[in-house]
Amino acid sequence: MKKLTQENAPVLEALEKLKQMRIVPFDVPGHKRGRGNKVLTEFLGERCLSVDVNSMKPLDNLCHPVSIIKDAEQLAAEAFGAAHAFFMVGGTTSSVQAMILTACKRGDKIILPRNVHRSAINAMILCGAVPVYINPQMDKTLGISLGMSIKDVKKAIADNPDAKAVFVNNPTYYGICSNLNEIIKMAHANNMLVLADEAHGTHFYFNDKLPAAAMRSGADMAAVSLHKSGGSLTQSSMLFINDKISEGYVRQIINLTQTTSGSYLLMSSLDISRRNLALRGNKIIDTVIDLVEYARSEINNIGDYYAYSREKINGDSIYDFDITKLSIYTRSIGLAGIEVYDILRDEYDIQTEFGDLANLLAYVSIGDRPRDMERLVSALSEIRRIYKKDSTGMLEVEYINPKVVLPPQDAFYTNKEESIPLDKACGRVCTEFVMCYPPGIPILAPGELVTSQILEYIHYAKAKGCQMTGPEDMELNNLNVVTEK
């Protein structure tokens, strides 16, 4: 048997062989290579439907890989500098949850920034872990949360020596990185694991112009969204671990929640994207960097907008910055980021990643072209000319320090719950999530106290057009809270 190299794509190669075989499918899926659903086949194409297949001997099994998936995962581990890799078909949400469920059991503490994705808090609801939040510092001008300062991490570790792990965003949605290497050093010195949410950091592994990548820096586990900046299909992700974590135990944890019907469309896209990045990633990402640097310069020349970059680095809470992130401050033209987002989509047919109350994020990756950047820059210039107004009266965005009253699991599963009008919830303990999506960072999470500042923020975000998600009442007129004694 020949030695596999990064030129190989075992899942892809196995599917190509399968297509050459004359197998009669008396198994699932029921569309039987597309023959049973003509409309779907016409929409997606016969080539796609012909490889939307179930686990079988030539194709291995995602729940217990022993052949081609195992080979593909090992190539991924080598490409990303990990001991083991796991193909994940439930998005990086499932990867983040697997990390926390591996590190923590009921009652265990985990140190983490409050600006985590909801998947991290969901994991604490599932396993009963108790959060020790490090409140990230705030850039009051931009209205964004920053990274974790080393001083705050050090204090959290000293105050909670029994914590099992430290969780790090690498980077944040806006491209901001904490001092990952120092955090790993401190955590390991205190026998704590380091878990990295690298949903937006796939490209860090393949270009030395970018911030430190978690697995190459010595983190214990990392959740990486190849579908975001790596080019794979939506919902495909990878989980990486070092050699100090039990591969078998992590697989058991993953199999608690991940489907037994792993999609070969998603797995082959991971395999193909890993190969592409391993062989050509440095050059591809250089092109992305050049595109973003060009757009950033042009946007800053328009006036009023501020497309920020490494000049924001302060050596601590902004230890490094991902220069592929095109994050744009919009309040200076009198518009919230979500308002610019809506105008770009509705009037210019430009779909950006998200807008918040002060910023817009245009996600740039391996599929973007120079002419697309020109169109974005031109549209932003027109929006400034047509829509600019006085910014007086806009809400000053500040980080809201959460008051955690109950562990997330206790609050979410409480049998003492009632639904009350949102405006009457001040002073009560929330039992559900409230967040703007994207990015899916909770404004309120189960177990947190509802304050007047939070209510003001929610009303302002709703008025500006932010998509509010999480609560049982999808209109967010009512909120579920713990019943008062």
Side-chain angles (χ1 to χ4, degrees):
M1 181 180 173
K2 70 173 185 176
K3 186 180 186 316
L4 293 174
T5 72
Q6 293 298 328
E7 298 272 358
N8 291 106
V11 178
L12 170 65
E13 292 158 14
L15 288 171
E16 287 175 334
K17 284 182 183 176
L18 181 76
K19 290 178 74 170
Q20 296 167 9
M21 300 167 72
R22 300 179 62 188
I23 292 176
V24 180
F26 285 105
D27 62 349
V28 295
H31 61 67
K32 302 297 173 98
R33 313 297 195 263
R35 293 191 299 272
N37 194 333
K38 297 297 184 185
V39 174
L40 186 65
T41 304
E42 288 170 8
F43 180 63
L44 294 179
E46 186 275 334
R47 293 180 69 182
C48 176
L49 271 290
S50 70
V51 291
D52 180 36
V53 293
N54 198 26
S55 296
M56 58 184 79
K57 189 173 284 188
L59 296 182
D60 207 357
N61 187 309
L62 183 61
C63 295
H64 188 83
V66 295
S67 58
I68 64 154
I69 297 174
K70 182 179 180 181
D71 289 342
E73 289 182 337
Q74 188 54 44
L75 287 173
E78 292 169 7
F80 283 80
H84 302 286
F86 303 86
F87 279 15
M88 306 293 286
V89 295
T92 300
T93 286
S94 63
S95 299
V96 167
Q97 290 175 349
M99 290 197 301
I100 293 177
L101 267 63
T102 297
C104 299
K105 296 180 173 63
R106 180 171 173 80
D108 287 343
K109 294 179 185 175
I110 179 170
I111 296 168
L112 67 172
R114 178 54 178 77
N115 58 326
V116 290
H117 188 264
R118 71 168 293 175
S119 57
I121 301 175
N122 285 345
M124 291 187 280
I125 289 172
L126 292 173
C127 71
V130 178
V132 175
Y133 287 128
I134 293 177
N135 296 321
Q137 295 179 26
M138 190 85 180
D139 185 306
K140 290 191 176 181
T141 302
L142 302 179
I144 61 172
S145 298
L146 307 178
M148 296 187 290
S149 78
I150 292 302
K151 179 186 71 174
D152 290 342
V153 175
K154 191 173 184 178
K155 184 177 188 305
I157 289 174
D159 290 348
N160 301 275
D162 54 341
K164 298 298 182 182
V166 178
F167 185 98
V168 186
N169 293 320
N170 192 51
T172 69
Y173 224 133
Y174 301 94
I176 290 163
C177 297
S178 302
N179 187 343
L180 182 63
N181 285 294
E182 187 61 27
I183 291 170
I184 291 171
K185 182 179 172 183
M186 285 193 299
H188 286 172
N190 289 274
N191 299 311
M192 297 177 189
L193 299 176
V194 175
L195 318 178
D197 181 348
E198 292 189 307
H200 301 278
T202 303
H203 46 298
F204 287 8
Y205 289 86
F206 301 99
N207 194 288
D208 59 10
K209 297 184 181 73
L210 299 176
M215 296 313 296
R216 298 195 189 283
S217 299
D220 299 284
M221 306 182 78
V224 179
S225 284
L226 261 77
H227 74 90
K228 290 187 171 73
S229 61
S232 65
L233 290 177
T234 295
Q235 201 175 308
S236 59
S237 173
M238 288 193 194
L239 174 63
F240 298 101
I241 64 173
N242 65 18
D243 57 6
K244 297 179 183 65
I245 307 291
S246 166
E247 178 188 9
Y249 183 66
V250 174
R251 183 80 65 188
Q252 286 184 319
I253 293 292
I254 290 169
N255 286 339
L256 289 175
T257 57
Q258 182 157 266
T259 178
T260 55
S261 303
S263 166
Y264 280 87
L265 298 177
L266 298 182
M267 285 188 277
S268 62
S269 80
L270 286 171
D271 204 21
I272 294 165
S273 298
R274 180 272 312 155
R275 182 175 69 177
N276 187 43
L277 289 168
L279 300 178
R280 292 173 283 277
N282 189 66
K283 184 178 179 182
I284 290 168
I285 294 159
D286 271 344
T287 301
V288 174
I289 291 170
D290 290 344
L291 268 179
V292 175
E293 293 287 12
Y294 165 76
R296 188 178 286 121
S297 174
E298 291 294 301
I299 291 166
N300 285 334
N301 285 336
I302 293 170
D304 294 317
Y305 293 115
Y306 176 30
Y308 38 98
S309 186
R310 281 190 166 147
E311 73 281 354
K312 299 297 294 181
I313 290 173
N314 60 20
D316 190 22
S317 57
I318 311 177
Y319 185 77
D320 207 346
F321 185 83
D322 175 10
I323 53 175
T324 72
K325 291 288 184 293
L326 188 54
S327 305
I328 307 159
Y329 178 67
T330 65
R331 282 185 80 242
S332 297
I333 65 167
L335 295 175
I338 185 63
E339 292 173 306
V340 177
Y341 169 98
D342 285 338
I343 295 168
L344 282 169
R345 184 195 58 222
D346 297 342
E347 299 186 22
Y348 293 89
D349 293 330
I350 294 174
Q351 180 65 56
T352 51
E353 176 67 10
F354 82 97
D356 63 18
L357 299 188
N359 300 270
L360 177 79
L361 176 64
Y363 210 101
V364 185
S365 65
I366 62 178
D368 287 295
R369 305 166 296 180
R371 66 185 182 190
D372 300 326
M373 307 306 290
E374 294 282 5
R375 187 169 162 190
L376 174 63
V377 171
S378 176
L380 288 172
S381 181
E382 276 195 25
I383 290 170
R384 175 182 177 267
R385 178 174 56 83
I386 297 169
Y387 293 98
K388 181 180 176 180
K389 59 186 178 182
D390 185 3
S391 61
T392 304
M394 295 184 75
L395 182 69
E396 288 289 336
V397 184
E398 292 187 7
Y399 175 74
I400 302 173
N401 186 356
K403 296 178 175 61
V404 180
V405 179
L406 293 173
Q409 187 183 66
D410 291 355
F412 188 82
Y413 288 117
T414 183
N415 56 9
K416 297 177 179 178
E417 180 184 64
E418 62 179 320
S419 178
I420 63 173
L422 179 65
D423 287 328
K424 292 187 177 179
C426 189
R428 304 291 290 274
V429 179
C430 186
T431 63
E432 57 185 351
F433 287 98
V434 177
M435 69 202 85
C436 297
Y437 185 85
I441 297 168
I443 301 166
L444 271 172
E448 294 178 1
L449 188 70
V450 183
T451 66
S452 58
Q453 190 181 13
I454 287 170
L455 292 177
E456 180 187 15
Y457 186 97
I458 290 171
H459 282 301
Y460 188 80
K462 286 178 71 176
K464 289 297 183 183
C466 290
Q467 183 183 359
M468 308 302 289
T469 66
E472 185 176 339
D473 176 7
M474 295 182 70
E475 300 297 320
L476 193 50
N477 295 316
N478 291 290
L479 189 71
N480 291 345
V481 297
V482 176
T483 303
E484 291 184 321
K485 294 178 181 178

